[in-house]
Amino acid sequence: MMATMRCKAVAAAASMQATPPRDPALSGATAAPGRGDRVETAFSTQGVWTSRGLTRRHFINRFCAELFRACASLGLLMLALLLASICRDGMHWLDLQFLSSFPSRFVEKAGIKSALWGSCWLMGLTALFSIPVGVGAAVYLEEFAQPSKLNTFVEINIANLAGVPSIVYGMLGLAIFVRGLGFGRSVLAGAATMSLLILPFIIVASREALRTVPLSIRHAAYALGATPWQTVRGHVLPAALPGILTSIILGLSRAIGETAPLIMIGALTYVAFVPEGPLDAFTALPIQIFNWASRPQAAFHELAAAGIIVLLAALLSMNAVAVFIRYRFARKLKW
Amino acid sequence: MVKPQTVLETRNLTIRYGDSAAVIDVSLRIPAKTVTAIIGPSGCGKSTLLRALNRMNDLVSTVSVQGEALFHGKNLYASDVDPVELRQRIGMVFQKPNPFPKSIAKNISWAPLLNGYRGDVDELVEKSLRQAALWHEVKHKLNDSGLELSGGQQQRLCIARTLAMNPEVILLDEPCSALDPASTSRIEDLLVELAGRYTIVIVTHNMQQAARVSDYTAFLCDGRLVEFGPTDRVFTRPENSETEAYVTGKFG
């Protein structure tokens, strides 16, 4: 009702063209902010419909746009500042010797070989545990689970688990893996703890990916006499794979930077060897960085900065792979 | 004239979603190797009735079924009937074309291979595409994605995919409602051609389509079967005044 009235009013006003605009600069949507309430616009209005406050509305619009642009830039600005400050401190330490040496009391000889290998081991084992379990749980919840109280309970708690502080996972890992199962302070215990930490994230994000596969594809497969598993295996999983891979990579990139649970389960801070099996003691990049940063000598702080550069490089390249996968396959699949 | 054999039959079939009944007390017999059209205004339960015939309704958790739906005299909802096996014999084509995001050849060969087909796959692909009148358009690009075809071609690919399973019955749920008139007419021709070999049940909201392709017509209104009989008779001499009003375009 209101809309029709408005349309009529606008139409009437447009057909009248009573007074042409005095100043073309003031007309149209780009009207500059004026002081008075009455502003000449391209279409003079009549009766109860006026252009009052139009300039002000445009001003508020531009103000909000700029404000939100500033908000969006803040994150980028902070990242740039962080990177600049770290690169200034650590860049000159970053060379092949740094990457291929064990930690040392002497700054010149110190390197992150053991931490780098420790992190590689940790990531490899974490991926091994978390990918099958995470994707399996997501497939169950999304494709097989019938709505029931138990399943709703499981779903809600997986979402809750994603919000549990990482130090709590560290305590759990210490109790179950290090002591309970007797893994000791090994890379295996670390990876198991990390897997628990990122599982909720992988499950939730993989479910999102599965949900984007249209129902019609599942119906098509069922109507051809496929079982639910054949449907999932043949069509749903392949179609959701890019999204699932992205969630796995993002989950792992969260694990690579986690420090608290590793400290909790007792990853060593000084390791002068590379782990050779899953039951070996280990250190990881964030632990090594923490160790160097907590030393009194300023030179070690610069080493920490160099370690951070390595860690950030690993993290950003993992995210880049995730972005690449997402865009690559998003273009290919159109329903 | 020999009385045609009944392939599908419903007896006092009532289907509910939660508390609301979508199909109420429907009894009808669908004769073999004919085209049966189910027509009726929107929301009258056409699709629900169709989906009951190959148990696609099972996928909706709130659905409940009373009465019987018989396939060769065997109740589809009996506890010893496996819906997976049933759907191999009663195929379905949907409203919106839904080819798999795979090659044209794989769209067709996927389900037969899954169900233990041991013959020549290339031969099966060609035969199914020829039956669906699509072969000449796609024979040079069998490895292209099914999603690259036009809407009408996609729908014929879906029909070919269903034919490849060698079903007895093909259910079509408004197969042309997303297609342009030219594609629609190609699919209608195809249905008439396939009717000699398969039992076809088609849901449509297009009365002209029902008149053009079907041998029998069932008219549903508000979940109840109002009239069922040979298409000529239903359209020219309807017994029920509601049917007459609908087929002459007075409502719906």
Side-chain angles (χ1 to χ4, degrees):
Chain A
M1 184 65 189
M2 280 300 272
T4 14
M5 278 173 61
R6 192 186 301 261
C7 285
K8 276 181 188 154
V10 169
S15 63
M16 295 290 276
Q17 286 278 330
T19 44
R22 260 192 316 238
D23 183 358
L26 283 174
S27 64
T30 53
R35 294 215 174 78
D37 273 337
R38 267 285 171 196
V39 181
E40 288 291 337
T41 56
F43 308 102
S44 291
T45 51
Q46 287 209 326
V48 291
W49 300 104
T50 68
S51 297
R52 206 178 60 164
L54 188 60
T55 358
R56 196 165 153 258
R57 276 154 56 200
H58 279 302
F59 174 74
I60 291 173
N61 175 44
R62 268 206 302 276
F63 175 76
C64 289
E66 290 303 325
L67 184 70
F68 299 144
R69 189 209 301 274
C71 296
S73 314
L74 191 67
L76 199 65
L77 187 72
M78 285 302 147
L79 182 66
L81 275 176
L82 181 81
L83 282 178
S85 131
I86 286 168
C87 285
R88 198 193 57 212
D89 290 349
M91 212 56 187
H92 60 279
W93 287 105
L94 203 62
D95 51 19
L96 211 58
Q97 188 261 332
F98 179 70
L99 293 175
S100 61
S101 304
F102 289 114
S104 159
R105 284 187 295 133
F106 307 104
V107 180
E108 303 79 40
K109 286 189 189 168
I112 54 162
K113 186 177 180 184
S114 53
L116 205 54
W117 279 99
S119 274
C120 287
W121 266 96
L122 196 64
M123 284 304 101
L125 287 175
T126 304
L128 200 66
F129 301 147
S130 60
I131 293 171
V133 179
V135 176
V139 166
Y140 171 74
L141 289 172
E142 207 52 46
E143 305 293 330
F144 292 96
Q146 300 294 323
S148 73
K149 279 191 177 149
L150 179 69
N151 282 323
T152 315
F153 183 75
V154 170
E155 278 180 37
I156 291 173
N157 279 289
I158 286 174
N160 282 341
L161 279 178
V164 171
S166 56
I167 191 89
V168 178
Y169 282 101
M171 293 175 75
L172 188 73
L174 180 67
I176 295 181
F177 301 122
V178 178
R179 304 229 175 102
L181 294 175
F183 292 167
R185 301 171 165 194
S186 63
V187 68
L188 181 65
T193 309
M194 281 301 184
S195 301
L196 282 187
L197 178 75
I198 64 170
L199 258 181
F201 179 82
I202 292 183
I203 293 172
V204 171
S206 296
R207 287 186 65 187
E208 292 292 334
L210 289 168
R211 225 171 288 161
T212 60
V213 180
L215 213 55
S216 64
I217 292 299
R218 296 178 179 87
H219 286 172
Y222 290 139
L224 289 166
T227 62
W229 167 241
Q230 287 172 324
T231 304
V232 170
R233 167 79 192 72
H235 300 295
V236 180
L237 265 186
L241 202 59
I244 292 176
L245 281 178
T246 308
S247 75
I248 289 169
I249 293 172
L250 292 180
L252 287 177
S253 72
R254 184 180 166 197
I256 200 174
E258 274 293 344
T259 325
L262 293 182
I263 295 177
M264 202 68 203
I265 65 160
L268 302 179
T269 49
Y270 177 82
V271 175
F273 55 87
V274 168
E276 279 172 358
L279 286 172
D280 284 358
F282 73 108
T283 188
L285 283 172
I287 302 259
Q288 186 64 64
I289 292 165
F290 177 67
N291 177 14
W292 279 330
S294 55
R295 303 239 182 139
Q297 300 95 322
F300 276 111
H301 295 172
E302 292 181 6
L303 273 189
I308 289 171
I309 294 172
V310 174
L311 183 59
L312 275 179
L315 222 139
L316 292 179
S317 42
M318 283 168 88
N319 284 0
V321 171
V323 169
F324 174 75
I325 290 175
R326 203 162 44 215
Y327 280 90
R328 178 71 202 277
F329 288 91
R331 261 191 298 119
K332 221 180 87 185
L333 270 186
K334 281 198 200 81
W335 302 105
Chain B
M1 189 178 135
V2 188
K3 201 166 182 257
Q5 188 200 350
T6 300
V7 173
L8 279 164
E9 184 180 353
T10 65
R11 283 186 195 156
N12 308 107
L13 190 71
T14 295
I15 304 168
R16 290 191 179 81
Y17 294 114
D19 290 332
S20 70
V23 170
I24 304 160
D25 201 28
V26 169
S27 300
L28 92 154
R29 289 158 173 265
I30 293 166
K33 311 222 162 129
T34 55
V35 179
T36 302
I38 304 177
I39 60 169
S42 298
C44 70
K46 305 185 292 280
S47 294
T48 306
L49 177 61
L50 189 77
R51 280 157 187 264
L53 300 179
N54 70 343
R55 290 188 59 175
M56 285 297 281
N57 280 336
D58 291 15
L59 305 175
V60 183
S61 60
T62 56
V63 86
S64 66
V65 178
Q66 272 173 10
E68 287 181 316
L70 308 169
F71 180 48
H72 289 299
K74 168 89 187 161
N75 187 4
L76 299 179
Y77 288 86
S79 57
D80 61 336
V81 170
D82 181 355
V84 170
E85 193 193 349
L86 175 73
R87 292 179 198 133
Q88 294 174 19
R89 304 190 57 194
I90 305 182
M92 188 168 219
V93 176
F94 297 85
Q95 188 169 358
K96 204 177 145 231
N98 55 355
F100 299 127
K102 292 186 176 354
S103 75
I104 291 168
K106 277 191 185 147
N107 257 284
I108 289 169
S109 63
W110 183 72
L113 290 176
L114 220 61
N115 286 295
Y117 175 77
R118 287 172 186 225
D120 186 333
V121 173
D122 295 340
E123 202 181 291
L124 179 71
V125 169
E126 181 175 341
K127 192 180 128 207
S128 309
L129 286 170
R130 277 184 192 280
Q131 277 194 344
L134 188 60
W135 174 250
H136 290 292
E137 289 156 66
V138 302
K139 62 183 170 188
H140 300 302
K141 49 176 183 179
L142 291 174
N143 290 321
D144 286 12
S145 167
L147 292 171
E148 281 163 27
L149 298 173
S150 74
Q153 289 174 326
Q154 287 190 7
Q155 196 61 300
R156 275 180 282 147
L157 177 61
C158 293
I159 294 175
R161 179 173 73 179
T162 307
L163 293 174
M165 285 297 293
N166 195 26
E168 244 187 283
V169 182
I170 303 171
L171 309 174
L172 299 108
D173 190 356
E174 301 191 22
C176 302
S177 63
L179 304 181
D180 61 275
S183 306
T184 300
S185 119
R186 299 202 64 164
I187 287 185
E188 287 178 4
D189 292 347
L190 175 62
L191 292 180
V192 172
E193 208 181 300
L194 292 173
R197 274 167 289 174
Y198 303 91
T199 303
I200 294 173
V201 186
I202 178 171
V203 160
T204 175
H205 56 205
N206 179 337
M207 278 174 296
Q208 285 74 35
Q209 184 169 67
R212 280 193 298 263
V213 303
S214 70
D215 305 304
Y216 294 87
T217 296
F219 173 59
L220 244 66
C221 193
D222 293 334
R224 291 177 196 280
L225 181 66
V226 177
E227 190 156 352
F228 177 62
T231 301
D232 303 345
R233 192 188 58 63
V234 172
F235 275 85
T236 54
R237 282 169 285 118
E239 287 164 2
N240 187 293
S241 57
E242 255 184 298
T243 314
E244 188 178 357
Y246 185 74
V247 297
T248 54
K250 293 205 177 89
F251 84 102

